[in-house]
PDB file of all heavy atoms in Angstrom:
ATOM      1  N   MET A   1      -2.414   3.839 -20.978  1.00 41.00           N
ATOM      2  CA  MET A   1      -3.011   4.468 -19.819  1.00 41.00           C
ATOM      3  C   MET A   1      -4.340   3.811 -19.469  1.00 41.00           C
ATOM      4  O   MET A   1      -4.616   3.459 -18.334  1.00 41.00           O
ATOM      5  CB  MET A   1      -3.226   5.949 -20.109  1.00 41.00           C
ATOM      6  CG  MET A   1      -3.316   6.804 -18.881  1.00 41.00           C
ATOM      7  SD  MET A   1      -1.679   7.367 -18.370  1.00 41.00           S
ATOM      8  CE  MET A   1      -1.089   8.258 -19.799  1.00 41.00           C
ATOM      9  N   ARG A   2      -5.193   3.635 -20.476  1.00 42.00           N
ATOM     10  CA  ARG A   2      -6.468   2.979 -20.247  1.00 42.00           C
ATOM     11  C   ARG A   2      -6.278   1.543 -19.784  1.00 42.00           C
ATOM     12  O   ARG A   2      -7.027   1.047 -18.946  1.00 42.00           O
ATOM     13  CB  ARG A   2      -7.303   2.968 -21.532  1.00 42.00           C
ATOM     14  CG  ARG A   2      -7.934   4.272 -21.866  1.00 42.00           C
ATOM     15  CD  ARG A   2      -8.788   4.137 -23.113  1.00 42.00           C
ATOM     16  NE  ARG A   2      -9.275   5.415 -23.512  1.00 42.00           N
ATOM     17  CZ  ARG A   2     -10.383   5.965 -23.053  1.00 42.00           C
ATOM     18  NH1 ARG A   2     -11.093   5.330 -22.146  1.00 42.00           N
ATOM     19  NH2 ARG A   2     -10.773   7.152 -23.474  1.00 42.00           N
ATOM     20  N   LEU A   3      -5.252   0.893 -20.343  1.00 39.00           N
ATOM     21  CA  LEU A   3      -4.985  -0.491 -19.970  1.00 39.00           C
ATOM     22  C   LEU A   3      -4.632  -0.596 -18.499  1.00 39.00           C
ATOM     23  O   LEU A   3      -5.107  -1.476 -17.788  1.00 39.00           O
ATOM     24  CB  LEU A   3      -3.848  -1.052 -20.826  1.00 39.00           C
ATOM     25  CG  LEU A   3      -3.429  -2.507 -20.519  1.00 39.00           C
ATOM     26  CD1 LEU A   3      -4.592  -3.447 -20.733  1.00 39.00           C
ATOM     27  CD2 LEU A   3      -2.248  -2.901 -21.392  1.00 39.00           C
ATOM     28  N   GLN A   4      -3.799   0.337 -17.989  1.00 41.00           N
ATOM     29  CA  GLN A   4      -3.430   0.311 -16.578  1.00 41.00           C
ATOM     30  C   GLN A   4      -4.643   0.543 -15.699  1.00 41.00           C
ATOM     31  O   GLN A   4      -4.823  -0.103 -14.670  1.00 41.00           O
ATOM     32  CB  GLN A   4      -2.366   1.370 -16.297  1.00 41.00           C
ATOM     33  CG  GLN A   4      -0.994   1.034 -16.885  1.00 41.00           C
ATOM     34  CD  GLN A   4       0.023   2.105 -16.540  1.00 41.00           C
ATOM     35  OE1 GLN A   4      -0.329   3.271 -16.412  1.00 41.00           O
ATOM     36  NE2 GLN A   4       1.271   1.705 -16.411  1.00 41.00           N
ATOM     37  N   LEU A   5      -5.469   1.503 -16.088  1.00 42.00           N
ATOM     38  CA  LEU A   5      -6.664   1.795 -15.320  1.00 42.00           C
ATOM     39  C   LEU A   5      -7.595   0.599 -15.280  1.00 42.00           C
ATOM     40  O   LEU A   5      -8.096   0.205 -14.225  1.00 42.00           O
ATOM     41  CB  LEU A   5      -7.376   3.013 -15.911  1.00 42.00           C
ATOM     42  CG  LEU A   5      -8.717   3.398 -15.258  1.00 42.00           C
ATOM     43  CD1 LEU A   5      -8.490   3.751 -13.805  1.00 42.00           C
ATOM     44  CD2 LEU A   5      -9.360   4.550 -16.021  1.00 42.00           C
ATOM     45  N   THR A   6      -7.811  -0.015 -16.434  1.00 43.00           N
ATOM     46  CA  THR A   6      -8.700  -1.179 -16.501  1.00 43.00           C
ATOM     47  C   THR A   6      -8.154  -2.339 -15.691  1.00 43.00           C
ATOM     48  O   THR A   6      -8.895  -3.033 -14.988  1.00 43.00           O
ATOM     49  CB  THR A   6      -8.881  -1.618 -17.967  1.00 43.00           C
ATOM     50  OG1 THR A   6      -9.397  -0.528 -18.714  1.00 43.00           O
ATOM     51  CG2 THR A   6      -9.838  -2.787 -18.052  1.00 43.00           C
ATOM     52  N   LEU A   7      -6.813  -2.555 -15.751  1.00 42.00           N
ATOM     53  CA  LEU A   7      -6.211  -3.653 -15.019  1.00 42.00           C
ATOM     54  C   LEU A   7      -6.380  -3.465 -13.525  1.00 42.00           C
ATOM     55  O   LEU A   7      -6.759  -4.394 -12.800  1.00 42.00           O
ATOM     56  CB  LEU A   7      -4.725  -3.761 -15.364  1.00 42.00           C
ATOM     57  CG  LEU A   7      -3.941  -4.853 -14.635  1.00 42.00           C
ATOM     58  CD1 LEU A   7      -4.525  -6.218 -14.941  1.00 42.00           C
ATOM     59  CD2 LEU A   7      -2.462  -4.800 -15.017  1.00 42.00           C
ATOM     60  N   ALA A   8      -6.118  -2.256 -13.033  1.00 44.00           N
ATOM     61  CA  ALA A   8      -6.251  -1.998 -11.602  1.00 44.00           C
ATOM     62  C   ALA A   8      -7.682  -2.206 -11.136  1.00 44.00           C
ATOM     63  O   ALA A   8      -7.942  -2.837 -10.112  1.00 44.00           O
ATOM     64  CB  ALA A   8      -5.789  -0.575 -11.272  1.00 44.00           C
ATOM     65  N   LEU A   9      -8.633  -1.676 -11.896  1.00 44.00           N
ATOM     66  CA  LEU A   9     -10.035  -1.824 -11.524  1.00 44.00           C
ATOM     67  C   LEU A   9     -10.475  -3.278 -11.569  1.00 44.00           C
ATOM     68  O   LEU A   9     -11.251  -3.741 -10.736  1.00 44.00           O
ATOM     69  CB  LEU A   9     -10.910  -0.982 -12.454  1.00 44.00           C
ATOM     70  CG  LEU A   9     -10.787   0.541 -12.288  1.00 44.00           C
ATOM     71  CD1 LEU A   9     -11.584   1.240 -13.372  1.00 44.00           C
ATOM     72  CD2 LEU A   9     -11.258   0.954 -10.913  1.00 44.00           C
ATOM     73  N   THR A  10      -9.982  -4.008 -12.559  1.00 47.00           N
ATOM     74  CA  THR A  10     -10.349  -5.421 -12.687  1.00 47.00           C
ATOM     75  C   THR A  10      -9.851  -6.223 -11.495  1.00 47.00           C
ATOM     76  O   THR A  10     -10.578  -7.067 -10.944  1.00 47.00           O
ATOM     77  CB  THR A  10      -9.776  -6.017 -13.981  1.00 47.00           C
ATOM     78  OG1 THR A  10     -10.299  -5.282 -15.086  1.00 47.00           O
ATOM     79  CG2 THR A  10     -10.163  -7.473 -14.116  1.00 47.00           C
ATOM     80  N   ILE A  11      -8.601  -6.001 -11.073  1.00 46.00           N
ATOM     81  CA  ILE A  11      -8.058  -6.739  -9.936  1.00 46.00           C
ATOM     82  C   ILE A  11      -8.860  -6.466  -8.681  1.00 46.00           C
ATOM     83  O   ILE A  11      -9.230  -7.371  -7.942  1.00 46.00           O
ATOM     84  CB  ILE A  11      -6.573  -6.382  -9.728  1.00 46.00           C
ATOM     85  CG1 ILE A  11      -5.746  -6.927 -10.888  1.00 46.00           C
ATOM     86  CG2 ILE A  11      -6.062  -6.937  -8.413  1.00 46.00           C
ATOM     87  CD1 ILE A  11      -4.295  -6.510 -10.849  1.00 46.00           C
ATOM     88  N   VAL A  12      -9.156  -5.183  -8.428  1.00 47.00           N
ATOM     89  CA  VAL A  12      -9.935  -4.835  -7.247  1.00 47.00           C
ATOM     90  C   VAL A  12     -11.325  -5.430  -7.318  1.00 47.00           C
ATOM     91  O   VAL A  12     -11.847  -6.006  -6.363  1.00 47.00           O
ATOM     92  CB  VAL A  12     -10.008  -3.297  -7.080  1.00 47.00           C
ATOM     93  CG1 VAL A  12     -10.957  -2.935  -5.941  1.00 47.00           C
ATOM     94  CG2 VAL A  12      -8.622  -2.739  -6.817  1.00 47.00           C
ATOM     95  N   SER A  13     -11.958  -5.317  -8.482  1.00 48.00           N
ATOM     96  CA  SER A  13     -13.312  -5.834  -8.651  1.00 48.00           C
ATOM     97  C   SER A  13     -13.372  -7.331  -8.432  1.00 48.00           C
ATOM     98  O   SER A  13     -14.228  -7.842  -7.711  1.00 48.00           O
ATOM     99  CB  SER A  13     -13.832  -5.488 -10.044  1.00 48.00           C
ATOM    100  OG  SER A  13     -15.102  -6.035 -10.247  1.00 48.00           O
ATOM    101  N   LEU A  14     -12.455  -8.070  -9.046  1.00 45.00           N
ATOM    102  CA  LEU A  14     -12.447  -9.519  -8.891  1.00 45.00           C
ATOM    103  C   LEU A  14     -12.160  -9.916  -7.458  1.00 45.00           C
ATOM    104  O   LEU A  14     -12.739 -10.860  -6.927  1.00 45.00           O
ATOM    105  CB  LEU A  14     -11.404 -10.147  -9.832  1.00 45.00           C
ATOM    106  CG  LEU A  14     -11.739 -10.109 -11.311  1.00 45.00           C
ATOM    107  CD1 LEU A  14     -10.571 -10.671 -12.126  1.00 45.00           C
ATOM    108  CD2 LEU A  14     -13.015 -10.889 -11.607  1.00 45.00           C
ATOM    109  N   SER A  15     -11.252  -9.206  -6.805  1.00 48.00           N
ATOM    110  CA  SER A  15     -10.913  -9.529  -5.421  1.00 48.00           C
ATOM    111  C   SER A  15     -12.104  -9.309  -4.510  1.00 48.00           C
ATOM    112  O   SER A  15     -12.396 -10.105  -3.628  1.00 48.00           O
ATOM    113  CB  SER A  15      -9.730  -8.675  -4.961  1.00 48.00           C
ATOM    114  OG  SER A  15      -8.589  -8.933  -5.732  1.00 48.00           O
ATOM    115  N   LEU A  16     -12.829  -8.212  -4.733  1.00 47.00           N
ATOM    116  CA  LEU A  16     -13.951  -7.906  -3.873  1.00 47.00           C
ATOM    117  C   LEU A  16     -15.118  -8.860  -4.084  1.00 47.00           C
ATOM    118  O   LEU A  16     -15.767  -9.299  -3.142  1.00 47.00           O
ATOM    119  CB  LEU A  16     -14.427  -6.470  -4.124  1.00 47.00           C
ATOM    120  CG  LEU A  16     -13.525  -5.347  -3.585  1.00 47.00           C
ATOM    121  CD1 LEU A  16     -14.027  -4.000  -4.084  1.00 47.00           C
ATOM    122  CD2 LEU A  16     -13.504  -5.361  -2.063  1.00 47.00           C
ATOM    123  N   TYR A  17     -15.355  -9.205  -5.336  1.00 47.00           N
ATOM    124  CA  TYR A  17     -16.561  -9.962  -5.624  1.00 47.00           C
ATOM    125  C   TYR A  17     -16.334 -11.454  -5.769  1.00 47.00           C
ATOM    126  O   TYR A  17     -17.281 -12.214  -5.885  1.00 47.00           O
ATOM    127  CB  TYR A  17     -17.228  -9.401  -6.882  1.00 47.00           C
ATOM    128  CG  TYR A  17     -17.945  -8.113  -6.593  1.00 47.00           C
ATOM    129  CD1 TYR A  17     -17.279  -6.897  -6.693  1.00 47.00           C
ATOM    130  CD2 TYR A  17     -19.260  -8.114  -6.169  1.00 47.00           C
ATOM    131  CE1 TYR A  17     -17.928  -5.710  -6.402  1.00 47.00           C
ATOM    132  CE2 TYR A  17     -19.918  -6.927  -5.876  1.00 47.00           C
ATOM    133  CZ  TYR A  17     -19.246  -5.728  -5.994  1.00 47.00           C
ATOM    134  OH  TYR A  17     -19.881  -4.561  -5.689  1.00 47.00           O
ATOM    135  N   SER A  18     -15.080 -11.903  -5.735  1.00 45.00           N
ATOM    136  CA  SER A  18     -14.835 -13.338  -5.847  1.00 45.00           C
ATOM    137  C   SER A  18     -15.396 -14.072  -4.651  1.00 45.00           C
ATOM    138  O   SER A  18     -15.676 -15.265  -4.725  1.00 45.00           O
ATOM    139  CB  SER A  18     -13.323 -13.610  -5.941  1.00 45.00           C
ATOM    140  OG  SER A  18     -12.662 -13.180  -4.762  1.00 45.00           O
ATOM    141  N   GLN A  19     -15.603 -13.355  -3.544  1.00 44.00           N
ATOM    142  CA  GLN A  19     -16.101 -14.011  -2.353  1.00 44.00           C
ATOM    143  C   GLN A  19     -17.516 -14.557  -2.540  1.00 44.00           C
ATOM    144  O   GLN A  19     -17.938 -15.442  -1.805  1.00 44.00           O
ATOM    145  CB  GLN A  19     -16.096 -13.039  -1.179  1.00 44.00           C
ATOM    146  CG  GLN A  19     -16.952 -11.817  -1.395  1.00 44.00           C
ATOM    147  CD  GLN A  19     -17.010 -10.962  -0.162  1.00 44.00           C
ATOM    148  OE1 GLN A  19     -17.207 -11.472   0.931  1.00 44.00           O
ATOM    149  NE2 GLN A  19     -16.830  -9.675  -0.327  1.00 44.00           N
ATOM    150  N   THR A  20     -18.282 -14.030  -3.498  1.00 43.00           N
ATOM    151  CA  THR A  20     -19.641 -14.495  -3.673  1.00 43.00           C
ATOM    152  C   THR A  20     -19.692 -15.868  -4.339  1.00 43.00           C
ATOM    153  O   THR A  20     -20.714 -16.522  -4.324  1.00 43.00           O
ATOM    154  CB  THR A  20     -20.439 -13.499  -4.538  1.00 43.00           C
ATOM    155  OG1 THR A  20     -19.812 -13.396  -5.819  1.00 43.00           O
ATOM    156  CG2 THR A  20     -20.454 -12.124  -3.886  1.00 43.00           C
ATOM    157  N   LYS A  21     -18.570 -16.300  -4.925  1.00 47.00           N
ATOM    158  CA  LYS A  21     -18.575 -17.587  -5.603  1.00 47.00           C
ATOM    159  C   LYS A  21     -17.446 -18.492  -5.122  1.00 47.00           C
ATOM    160  O   LYS A  21     -17.648 -19.683  -4.921  1.00 47.00           O
ATOM    161  CB  LYS A  21     -18.453 -17.375  -7.118  1.00 47.00           C
ATOM    162  CG  LYS A  21     -18.621 -18.673  -7.907  1.00 47.00           C
ATOM    163  CD  LYS A  21     -18.659 -18.389  -9.398  1.00 47.00           C
ATOM    164  CE  LYS A  21     -18.872 -19.683 -10.186  1.00 47.00           C
ATOM    165  NZ  LYS A  21     -18.904 -19.434 -11.640  1.00 47.00           N
ATOM    166  N   TYR A  22     -16.256 -17.939  -4.928  1.00 55.00           N
ATOM    167  CA  TYR A  22     -15.105 -18.718  -4.488  1.00 55.00           C
ATOM    168  C   TYR A  22     -14.604 -18.145  -3.170  1.00 55.00           C
ATOM    169  O   TYR A  22     -14.333 -16.954  -3.076  1.00 55.00           O
ATOM    170  CB  TYR A  22     -13.996 -18.669  -5.538  1.00 55.00           C
ATOM    171  CG  TYR A  22     -14.417 -19.186  -6.882  1.00 55.00           C
ATOM    172  CD1 TYR A  22     -14.671 -18.312  -7.934  1.00 55.00           C
ATOM    173  CD2 TYR A  22     -14.571 -20.553  -7.106  1.00 55.00           C
ATOM    174  CE1 TYR A  22     -15.067 -18.776  -9.173  1.00 55.00           C
ATOM    175  CE2 TYR A  22     -14.968 -21.024  -8.347  1.00 55.00           C
ATOM    176  CZ  TYR A  22     -15.209 -20.133  -9.373  1.00 55.00           C
ATOM    177  OH  TYR A  22     -15.606 -20.603 -10.587  1.00 55.00           O
ATOM    178  N   SER A  23     -14.472 -18.990  -2.183  1.00 74.00           N
ATOM    179  CA  SER A  23     -14.068 -18.535  -0.868  1.00 74.00           C
ATOM    180  C   SER A  23     -12.778 -19.218  -0.454  1.00 74.00           C
ATOM    181  O   SER A  23     -12.691 -20.448  -0.460  1.00 74.00           O
ATOM    182  CB  SER A  23     -15.180 -18.845   0.150  1.00 74.00           C
ATOM    183  OG  SER A  23     -14.758 -18.524   1.448  1.00 74.00           O
ATOM    184  N   ASN A  24     -11.773 -18.424  -0.111  1.00 84.00           N
ATOM    185  CA  ASN A  24     -10.496 -18.949   0.389  1.00 84.00           C
ATOM    186  C   ASN A  24      -9.874 -19.971  -0.551  1.00 84.00           C
ATOM    187  O   ASN A  24      -9.270 -20.956  -0.109  1.00 84.00           O
ATOM    188  CB  ASN A  24     -10.672 -19.557   1.789  1.00 84.00           C
ATOM    189  CG  ASN A  24     -11.142 -18.539   2.805  1.00 84.00           C
ATOM    190  OD1 ASN A  24     -10.856 -17.351   2.683  1.00 84.00           O
ATOM    191  ND2 ASN A  24     -11.865 -19.004   3.811  1.00 84.00           N
ATOM    192  N   GLU A  25      -9.991 -19.740  -1.844  1.00 86.00           N
ATOM    193  CA  GLU A  25      -9.453 -20.697  -2.811  1.00 86.00           C
ATOM    194  C   GLU A  25      -7.931 -20.815  -2.737  1.00 86.00           C
ATOM    195  O   GLU A  25      -7.367 -21.830  -3.139  1.00 86.00           O
ATOM    196  CB  GLU A  25      -9.862 -20.291  -4.230  1.00 86.00           C
ATOM    197  CG  GLU A  25     -11.292 -20.655  -4.586  1.00 86.00           C
ATOM    198  CD  GLU A  25     -11.522 -22.155  -4.590  1.00 86.00           C
ATOM    199  OE1 GLU A  25     -10.839 -22.855  -5.354  1.00 86.00           O
ATOM    200  OE2 GLU A  25     -12.371 -22.618  -3.819  1.00 86.00           O
ATOM    201  N   PHE A  26      -7.256 -19.810  -2.210  1.00 88.00           N
ATOM    202  CA  PHE A  26      -5.802 -19.892  -2.114  1.00 88.00           C
ATOM    203  C   PHE A  26      -5.364 -21.033  -1.207  1.00 88.00           C
ATOM    204  O   PHE A  26      -4.253 -21.549  -1.334  1.00 88.00           O
ATOM    205  CB  PHE A  26      -5.227 -18.556  -1.617  1.00 88.00           C
ATOM    206  CG  PHE A  26      -5.393 -18.304  -0.140  1.00 88.00           C
ATOM    207  CD1 PHE A  26      -4.327 -18.501   0.724  1.00 88.00           C
ATOM    208  CD2 PHE A  26      -6.603 -17.870   0.378  1.00 88.00           C
ATOM    209  CE1 PHE A  26      -4.461 -18.258   2.083  1.00 88.00           C
ATOM    210  CE2 PHE A  26      -6.752 -17.632   1.730  1.00 88.00           C
ATOM    211  CZ  PHE A  26      -5.681 -17.817   2.588  1.00 88.00           C
ATOM    212  N   LEU A  27      -6.230 -21.458  -0.292  1.00 91.00           N
ATOM    213  CA  LEU A  27      -5.901 -22.571   0.599  1.00 91.00           C
ATOM    214  C   LEU A  27      -6.015 -23.922  -0.093  1.00 91.00           C
ATOM    215  O   LEU A  27      -5.677 -24.949   0.501  1.00 91.00           O
ATOM    216  CB  LEU A  27      -6.801 -22.540   1.833  1.00 91.00           C
ATOM    217  CG  LEU A  27      -6.597 -21.360   2.779  1.00 91.00           C
ATOM    218  CD1 LEU A  27      -7.599 -21.402   3.925  1.00 91.00           C
ATOM    219  CD2 LEU A  27      -5.174 -21.334   3.315  1.00 91.00           C
ATOM    220  N   ASN A  28      -6.484 -23.944  -1.339  1.00 89.00           N
ATOM    221  CA  ASN A  28      -6.613 -25.198  -2.083  1.00 89.00           C
ATOM    222  C   ASN A  28      -5.486 -25.406  -3.083  1.00 89.00           C
ATOM    223  O   ASN A  28      -5.465 -26.428  -3.781  1.00 89.00           O
ATOM    224  CB  ASN A  28      -7.957 -25.229  -2.827  1.00 89.00           C
ATOM    225  CG  ASN A  28      -9.143 -25.216  -1.880  1.00 89.00           C
ATOM    226  OD1 ASN A  28      -9.097 -25.801  -0.805  1.00 89.00           O
ATOM    227  ND2 ASN A  28     -10.198 -24.531  -2.272  1.00 89.00           N
ATOM    228  N   ILE A  29      -4.553 -24.469  -3.188  1.00 88.00           N
ATOM    229  CA  ILE A  29      -3.475 -24.595  -4.177  1.00 88.00           C
ATOM    230  C   ILE A  29      -2.566 -25.763  -3.852  1.00 88.00           C
ATOM    231  O   ILE A  29      -2.164 -26.534  -4.723  1.00 88.00           O
ATOM    232  CB  ILE A  29      -2.674 -23.280  -4.244  1.00 88.00           C
ATOM    233  CG1 ILE A  29      -3.561 -22.155  -4.772  1.00 88.00           C
ATOM    234  CG2 ILE A  29      -1.444 -23.450  -5.134  1.00 88.00           C
ATOM    235  CD1 ILE A  29      -2.892 -20.792  -4.767  1.00 88.00           C
ATOM    236  N   GLY A  30      -2.231 -25.924  -2.589  1.00 91.00           N
ATOM    237  CA  GLY A  30      -1.352 -27.023  -2.185  1.00 91.00           C
ATOM    238  C   GLY A  30       0.022 -26.537  -1.769  1.00 91.00           C
ATOM    239  O   GLY A  30       0.454 -25.441  -2.143  1.00 91.00           O
ATOM    240  N   VAL A  31       0.711 -27.350  -0.998  1.00 94.00           N
ATOM    241  CA  VAL A  31       2.057 -27.031  -0.525  1.00 94.00           C
ATOM    242  C   VAL A  31       2.970 -28.222  -0.762  1.00 94.00           C
ATOM    243  O   VAL A  31       2.499 -29.341  -1.006  1.00 94.00           O
ATOM    244  CB  VAL A  31       2.045 -26.681   0.982  1.00 94.00           C
ATOM    245  CG1 VAL A  31       1.099 -25.527   1.268  1.00 94.00           C
ATOM    246  CG2 VAL A  31       1.670 -27.885   1.828  1.00 94.00           C
ATOM    247  N   ASP A  32       4.302 -27.962  -0.700  1.00 95.00           N
ATOM    248  CA  ASP A  32       5.327 -28.996  -0.822  1.00 95.00           C
ATOM    249  C   ASP A  32       5.459 -29.462  -2.273  1.00 95.00           C
ATOM    250  O   ASP A  32       4.550 -30.076  -2.837  1.00 95.00           O
ATOM    251  CB  ASP A  32       5.013 -30.185   0.098  1.00 95.00           C
ATOM    252  CG  ASP A  32       6.072 -31.265   0.025  1.00 95.00           C
ATOM    253  OD1 ASP A  32       7.230 -30.939  -0.277  1.00 95.00           O
ATOM    254  OD2 ASP A  32       5.736 -32.439   0.292  1.00 95.00           O
ATOM    255  N   ALA A  33       6.607 -29.181  -2.870  1.00 94.00           N
ATOM    256  CA  ALA A  33       6.852 -29.560  -4.264  1.00 94.00           C
ATOM    257  C   ALA A  33       6.772 -31.069  -4.463  1.00 94.00           C
ATOM    258  O   ALA A  33       6.395 -31.542  -5.538  1.00 94.00           O
ATOM    259  CB  ALA A  33       8.213 -29.042  -4.720  1.00 94.00           C
ATOM    260  N   ALA A  34       7.107 -31.853  -3.436  1.00 96.00           N
ATOM    261  CA  ALA A  34       7.006 -33.307  -3.559  1.00 96.00           C
ATOM    262  C   ALA A  34       5.562 -33.731  -3.776  1.00 96.00           C
ATOM    263  O   ALA A  34       5.268 -34.602  -4.598  1.00 96.00           O
ATOM    264  CB  ALA A  34       7.580 -33.987  -2.311  1.00 96.00           C
ATOM    265  N   ALA A  35       4.634 -33.121  -3.055  1.00 96.00           N
ATOM    266  CA  ALA A  35       3.215 -33.439  -3.216  1.00 96.00           C
ATOM    267  C   ALA A  35       2.673 -32.914  -4.533  1.00 96.00           C
ATOM    268  O   ALA A  35       1.924 -33.600  -5.238  1.00 96.00           O
ATOM    269  CB  ALA A  35       2.413 -32.868  -2.047  1.00 96.00           C
ATOM    270  N   LEU A  36       3.066 -31.702  -4.904  1.00 93.00           N
ATOM    271  CA  LEU A  36       2.579 -31.124  -6.153  1.00 93.00           C
ATOM    272  C   LEU A  36       3.088 -31.900  -7.359  1.00 93.00           C
ATOM    273  O   LEU A  36       2.415 -31.988  -8.384  1.00 93.00           O
ATOM    274  CB  LEU A  36       3.011 -29.665  -6.239  1.00 93.00           C
ATOM    275  CG  LEU A  36       2.404 -28.739  -5.183  1.00 93.00           C
ATOM    276  CD1 LEU A  36       3.069 -27.374  -5.216  1.00 93.00           C
ATOM    277  CD2 LEU A  36       0.909 -28.617  -5.365  1.00 93.00           C
ATOM    278  N   GLY A  37       4.285 -32.484  -7.257  1.00 94.00           N
ATOM    279  CA  GLY A  37       4.803 -33.311  -8.340  1.00 94.00           C
ATOM    280  C   GLY A  37       4.010 -34.576  -8.549  1.00 94.00           C
ATOM    281  O   GLY A  37       4.054 -35.183  -9.628  1.00 94.00           O
ATOM    282  N   MET A  38       3.261 -34.995  -7.518  1.00 96.00           N
ATOM    283  CA  MET A  38       2.393 -36.172  -7.605  1.00 96.00           C
ATOM    284  C   MET A  38       0.932 -35.776  -7.764  1.00 96.00           C
ATOM    285  O   MET A  38       0.021 -36.544  -7.459  1.00 96.00           O
ATOM    286  CB  MET A  38       2.560 -37.043  -6.363  1.00 96.00           C
ATOM    287  CG  MET A  38       3.943 -37.635  -6.179  1.00 96.00           C
ATOM    288  SD  MET A  38       4.083 -38.611  -4.662  1.00 96.00           S
ATOM    289  CE  MET A  38       2.880 -39.928  -4.957  1.00 96.00           C
ATOM    290  N   SER A  39       0.686 -34.567  -8.230  1.00 93.00           N
ATOM    291  CA  SER A  39      -0.675 -34.051  -8.447  1.00 93.00           C
ATOM    292  C   SER A  39      -1.517 -34.071  -7.175  1.00 93.00           C
ATOM    293  O   SER A  39      -2.720 -34.318  -7.214  1.00 93.00           O
ATOM    294  CB  SER A  39      -1.377 -34.824  -9.568  1.00 93.00           C
ATOM    295  OG  SER A  39      -0.774 -34.536 -10.812  1.00 93.00           O
ATOM    296  N   ASN A  40      -0.868 -33.854  -6.040  1.00 94.00           N
ATOM    297  CA  ASN A  40      -1.546 -33.717  -4.740  1.00 94.00           C
ATOM    298  C   ASN A  40      -2.196 -35.005  -4.249  1.00 94.00           C
ATOM    299  O   ASN A  40      -3.024 -34.957  -3.329  1.00 94.00           O
ATOM    300  CB  ASN A  40      -2.596 -32.606  -4.783  1.00 94.00           C
ATOM    301  CG  ASN A  40      -2.028 -31.278  -5.204  1.00 94.00           C
ATOM    302  OD1 ASN A  40      -0.812 -31.075  -5.185  1.00 94.00           O
ATOM    303  ND2 ASN A  40      -2.889 -30.359  -5.598  1.00 94.00           N
ATOM    304  N   ALA A  41      -1.833 -36.143  -4.821  1.00 96.00           N
ATOM    305  CA  ALA A  41      -2.429 -37.417  -4.395  1.00 96.00           C
ATOM    306  C   ALA A  41      -1.650 -37.972  -3.198  1.00 96.00           C
ATOM    307  O   ALA A  41      -0.978 -38.994  -3.280  1.00 96.00           O
ATOM    308  CB  ALA A  41      -2.415 -38.415  -5.550  1.00 96.00           C
ATOM    309  N   VAL A  42      -1.771 -37.276  -2.053  1.00 97.00           N
ATOM    310  CA  VAL A  42      -0.931 -37.612  -0.903  1.00 97.00           C
ATOM    311  C   VAL A  42      -1.698 -37.687   0.416  1.00 97.00           C
ATOM    312  O   VAL A  42      -1.083 -37.758   1.478  1.00 97.00           O
ATOM    313  CB  VAL A  42       0.222 -36.597  -0.768  1.00 97.00           C
ATOM    314  CG1 VAL A  42       1.163 -36.669  -1.958  1.00 97.00           C
ATOM    315  CG2 VAL A  42      -0.310 -35.179  -0.587  1.00 97.00           C
TER     316      VAL A  42
END
């Protein structure tokens, strides 16, 4: 029970406060398996 509560709070907390250090990092993951197979050197 405590684990679920802590996990939920942690996700919300990190999501809210990640903006102060990392912004829109999901746009840096990359697309296309062909490019990702080459470590994004495309």
Side-chain angles (χ1 to χ4, degrees):
M1 203 88 59
R2 284 183 186 273
L3 179 60
Q4 289 181 329
L5 176 62
T6 302
L7 178 60
L9 291 174
T10 300
I11 292 174
V12 173
S13 177
L14 289 176
S15 298
L16 287 172
Y17 284 89
S18 63
Q19 60 175 314
T20 60
K21 187 173 182 180
Y22 301 105
S23 175
N24 299 331
E25 282 296 301
F26 76 101
L27 293 177
N28 296 324
I29 295 175
V31 303
D32 181 27
L36 295 171
M38 297 178 62
S39 291
N40 304 344
V42 295

